[in-house]
Amino acid sequence: MRGRSLVVYMLVLLCLAAYYYFFEIYSPIAEDINDKAPAILNLNVADVEEISISGTDSVTLSKRGLSWWITAPVEIPADPREIEGLLADVYRLKSRRTLENPPSLVDAGLDPPGLILGFRTKEREILLNIGNANPTKQYCYARSSASPEIFLINAYEKSRMDKDLFTLRDKHVLKAACKDITKISIKRHGLIMEYQMHRDGRWHLLEDHTAKLKTERLNDLLVRLCRTQAKAFIDDTSVSGNPDIIIELFKRDGSEVLKIWQVPHAQENICAYSDVLGEFVAIHDSLLPLIPHDPIEIIDRSLIILNTEMVEKIVLTGKDIQVFTNKAGTWFSGEKRLEDFSAVKSLIETLQSLEYLDEYLRLPEDVHRERSIEISYQDSSVFFDIGLYSQYYVGLGDTYYQINEGGMKMINDSFDMLMKSARE
């Protein structure tokens, strides 16, 4: 009898284990059905006017026109992307399974709930209560105000919707859109650098409109500034002295200022003050390399700008003369087809990377011409006669430029490489 009872107990235990595995852990059929089920809250997110979150933090948000604001525990602008993400998660929220024999509200962590989400529209208010994880830790127990039933949702969905105050607040240190900026002022090391956007879409020095600037460099800085967010909000007592850098962005309806102290704050962050946020913040120090130290740093000293697709002919003159021609995308040295075009590409890229140090109308008497590079376009409308001189001088038309030793070595190496490719 004792052996028979043991067998019965084992069978009961196996049945319970199978039930638990199928209904609590596996249950693939229920998953497939509920993936096609309607959203839990049946909520039109466009109609939501107020959101309340009681979890890690207790936060209330209200919609004002097209913008969202945090109204409690403080009144500050909210991050629109975080709100959009939260509403999208709520819209997609589906029940993984409704429980026929649910645990008690206390055991499910629903009395009181660990996370309460409230959504108010003009017509109604809906509450979503989320409790503890189930035994598998894969799901969480949940219940909405629209139904007394307890159901399961994915555990990661709870973590995504439990947003704290820092996550929800707008942390952009500047509000201006890049397209609206007409002027940039940078004060650094006692220097004042001011750049004005002209109608041609290019940046110019405010005091010298003739100076050619690296527009892409300033645009990169502007984009980065407009995207910079606070990594933390810090106590103003931890910042002392005058700021190392002051950046002011001007637009038609005003300006915004960001003050930066190059003081380390927690690993890769530095201190700043945003007049938009009205607080001291920590921002990532990767912004610093993009901020110029002086006006000359932004001046475009490119020696030559080539349209690589239009280059049809290259003539190299040194001890020998060699002509390279582009025919329908294939390069030839005389009548010989080049097997490898990398030497041509290297020469063009090297020329485009060169920057000059100074500009002259005349050459010193002891400087002599050593080599030359002639480049012409397909339609012959553009022709470059580039002379390579001793003492690191380069002639381009009627103007002469001095480059550094490294630049001259690069161009001579590319010259020699292309000459060698013609002999192979």
Side-chain angles (χ1 to χ4, degrees):
M1 290 294 293
R2 187 174 297 173
R4 183 179 298 176
S5 297
L6 181 61
V7 171
V8 172
Y9 292 148
M10 290 296 294
L11 289 173
V12 171
L13 181 62
L14 288 173
C15 290
L16 290 173
Y19 177 88
Y20 175 80
Y21 174 78
F22 185 81
F23 288 101
E24 288 291 338
I25 298 178
Y26 183 56
S27 189
I29 297 176
E31 284 291 326
D32 291 341
I33 293 174
N34 283 301
D35 278 341
K36 300 175 182 178
I40 293 172
L41 302 183
N42 192 23
L43 182 68
N44 185 351
V45 295
D47 295 336
V48 175
E49 296 181 342
E50 185 174 289
I51 302 171
S52 61
I53 303 174
S54 180
T56 302
D57 290 331
S58 293
V59 184
T60 304
L61 305 108
S62 296
K63 193 173 186 180
R64 298 176 179 175
L66 299 177
S67 302
W68 280 94
W69 280 72
I70 296 173
T71 54
V74 292
E75 186 163 338
I76 49 177
D79 186 336
R81 290 179 298 181
E82 290 293 339
I83 307 305
E84 289 171 5
L86 173 62
L87 291 174
D89 288 340
V90 170
Y91 177 78
R92 291 192 296 262
L93 190 65
K94 297 179 184 297
S95 170
R96 297 293 99 186
R97 186 163 70 253
T98 299
L99 303 178
E100 295 180 359
N101 299 303
S104 68
L105 292 178
V106 173
D107 292 340
L110 293 170
D111 186 17
L115 173 63
I116 305 174
L117 298 170
F119 304 92
R120 185 179 61 81
T121 66
K122 290 181 179 180
E123 291 78 21
R124 58 176 178 156
E125 181 177 8
I126 301 177
L127 295 179
L128 174 65
N129 298 334
I130 304 176
N132 298 334
N134 76 331
T136 69
K137 306 300 181 183
Q138 186 177 359
Y139 304 107
C140 285
Y141 298 106
R143 189 169 73 157
S144 76
S145 59
S147 171
E149 295 179 330
I150 296 177
F151 52 87
L152 296 177
I153 63 171
N154 284 316
Y156 73 84
E157 292 175 311
K158 176 182 178 181
S159 62
R160 284 174 62 95
M161 292 186 287
D162 188 5
K163 296 182 182 292
D164 58 20
L165 177 61
F166 179 80
T167 301
L168 288 167
R169 69 178 301 178
D170 192 348
K171 297 171 285 294
H172 288 87
V173 297
L174 296 165
K175 290 292 187 185
C178 293
K179 62 181 180 61
D180 297 329
I181 304 303
T182 58
K183 178 183 170 184
I184 303 174
S185 174
I186 301 173
K187 298 178 182 178
R188 186 172 190 174
H189 307 312
L191 292 175
I192 299 177
M193 298 165 274
E194 295 182 311
Y195 307 97
Q196 185 83 42
M197 172 66 77
H198 280 200
R199 293 180 180 178
D200 59 4
R202 302 189 65 85
W203 290 98
H204 298 265
L205 279 171
L206 192 63
E207 68 273 14
D208 182 5
H209 292 179
T210 63
K212 186 180 178 183
L213 302 183
K214 297 176 182 177
T215 293
E216 290 186 3
R217 166 76 182 274
L218 281 170
N219 285 339
D220 289 344
L221 170 62
L222 189 56
V223 169
R224 182 58 182 275
L225 284 169
C226 292
R227 291 179 178 175
T228 296
Q229 296 190 44
K231 299 298 181 182
F233 292 86
I234 60 181
D235 188 350
D236 58 359
T237 59
S238 63
V239 183
S240 61
N242 295 322
D244 300 299
I245 304 169
I246 300 176
I247 300 175
E248 187 169 6
L249 303 183
F250 294 84
K251 47 186 180 177
R252 290 179 178 84
D253 58 350
S255 65
E256 298 175 7
V257 177
L258 179 66
K259 299 177 181 179
I260 300 173
W261 286 259
Q262 294 180 231
V263 178
H265 181 84
Q267 298 178 351
E268 298 176 335
N269 296 330
I270 54 176
C271 301
Y273 179 82
S274 163
D275 70 341
V276 169
L277 295 174
E279 295 187 57
F280 283 89
V281 297
I283 61 174
H284 201 281
D285 63 3
S286 58
L287 174 66
L288 292 178
L290 297 177
I291 304 173
H293 290 77
D294 56 63
I296 296 177
E297 190 177 333
I298 298 295
I299 292 178
D300 188 355
R301 294 182 175 274
S302 299
L303 190 64
I304 186 173
I305 298 176
L306 295 171
N307 185 337
T308 55
E309 296 181 357
M310 292 293 292
V311 176
E312 181 185 53
K313 187 177 180 181
I314 300 175
V315 179
L316 303 184
T317 303
K319 293 180 180 179
D320 302 314
I321 298 177
Q322 191 66 50
V323 179
F324 300 87
T325 308
N326 183 2
K327 298 179 181 178
T330 300
W331 282 94
F332 291 82
S333 172
E335 297 299 323
K336 174 188 172 184
R337 181 183 183 277
L338 297 181
E339 297 299 327
D340 185 2
F341 306 157
S342 61
V344 177
K345 183 179 179 181
S346 176
L347 177 67
I348 294 174
E349 290 179 349
T350 299
L351 287 171
Q352 295 206 104
S353 68
L354 290 177
E355 292 192 346
Y356 64 87
L357 302 175
D358 292 298
E359 181 180 343
Y360 305 91
L361 295 177
R362 296 178 59 184
L363 287 172
E365 293 182 358
D366 58 342
V367 171
H368 58 277
R369 186 167 179 143
E370 297 177 334
R371 293 174 161 182
S372 67
I373 303 172
E374 296 178 8
I375 297 178
S376 56
Y377 282 3
Q378 294 171 1
D379 56 5
S380 301
S381 61
V382 179
F383 176 80
F384 299 95
D385 181 10
I386 306 165
L388 306 182
Y389 293 82
S390 60
Q391 300 183 32
Y392 317 125
Y393 284 92
V394 176
L396 189 60
D398 297 330
T399 308
Y400 303 94
Y401 304 88
Q402 191 169 40
I403 63 176
N404 59 32
E405 181 180 0
M408 185 61 79
K409 185 179 185 305
M410 286 174 56
I411 194 169
N412 277 318
D413 287 348
S414 297
F415 187 104
D416 293 337
M417 187 186 302
L418 187 52
M419 278 291 202
K420 182 181 178 182
S421 70
R423 294 191 294 266
E424 292 178 347

